[in-house]
Amino acid sequence: MENVLATYKCNFRLFKQPYSIGDTFEDNGNFYLIVGIERYRIMHNILTVWYTVQNLQQTNYKTNKKTFRKNPMEVEATLKFKFDSKHLKTCFLGTRHFIEGYHYKVIEYTDIKIVSTDIHISLLLKPLYPVDPQQAKASVSKERRKKLQIELV
């Protein structure tokens, strides 16, 4: 099971279509299935993508998951930027973004496509919600009492 999933780094010239999730390719006599996108980087005219791949030659493992189901709390989005946009350097996994009045955290990339001079990045976002204002006030009050070492009897 240890060698079934791995990280595979691929370099593409800008404007050449990168692999997508679900694509297969061969390397050193082994066939791999792309099951995820871990991260990307654009430097000069090279798009580097780190994929999570499954070695299709490995078949001696057991799994209890049959299909992938999207969590109902996740939102799908596609970002479209010019290849040299500064925004491409800010949209990484774990980052928080304010979109149309709401906060979202990037949790997974689902696709990267080159369309003319644009790069389209599809991803899953998790909505972030602040705590209730009364709960926030209670937390502040509790921390202040703790700091002053005051106990209410």
Side-chain angles (χ1 to χ4, degrees):
M1 180 77 170
E2 185 176 319
N3 297 329
V4 174
L5 296 177
T7 298
Y8 192 86
K9 177 181 167 185
C10 294
N11 293 316
F12 302 94
R13 288 194 166 276
L14 272 184
F15 314 118
K16 181 182 182 291
Q17 200 64 260
Y19 296 130
S20 294
I21 293 175
D23 288 350
T24 58
F25 64 93
E26 182 181 8
D27 185 45
N28 294 329
N30 289 322
F31 288 92
Y32 296 94
L33 169 70
I34 296 178
V35 296
I37 299 170
E38 295 179 9
R39 59 187 167 140
Y40 67 92
R41 179 180 68 200
I42 298 173
M43 188 159 287
H44 306 294
N45 63 342
I46 301 293
L47 170 65
T48 303
V49 183
W50 286 263
Y51 294 102
T52 301
V53 297
Q54 178 177 342
N55 185 341
L56 297 176
Q57 308 301 105
Q58 299 286 331
T59 56
N60 55 347
Y61 62 91
K62 293 180 183 173
T63 181
N64 57 2
K65 293 279 186 184
K66 296 294 180 196
T67 58
F68 170 77
R69 290 195 179 101
K70 185 174 75 80
N71 183 333
M73 293 300 293
E74 295 170 355
V75 177
E76 294 182 55
T78 300
L79 305 175
K80 300 173 185 177
F81 297 115
K82 290 284 185 205
F83 74 96
D84 58 353
S85 172
K86 65 180 179 177
H87 297 293
L88 281 170
K89 296 180 184 201
T90 63
C91 191
F92 294 114
L93 295 178
T95 56
R96 183 189 49 82
H97 301 275
F98 191 69
I99 304 167
E100 296 179 2
Y102 297 98
H103 292 274
Y104 295 94
K105 180 178 179 180
V106 178
I107 58 172
E108 184 175 347
Y109 300 121
T110 57
D111 200 11
I112 297 177
K113 289 185 179 175
I114 307 291
V115 179
S116 185
T117 60
D118 293 346
I119 296 179
H120 296 195
I121 300 173
S122 299
L123 38 83
L124 291 178
L125 303 169
K126 174 183 159 188
L128 299 173
Y129 301 104
V131 297
D132 182 78
Q134 292 150 343
Q135 187 179 359
K137 288 178 187 177
S139 294
V140 169
S141 178
K142 180 181 174 184
E143 287 301 313
R144 285 184 179 156
R145 282 193 302 264
K146 191 188 302 182
K147 186 176 179 181
L148 295 172
Q149 298 176 349
I150 297 174
E151 287 186 35
L152 294 177
V153 182

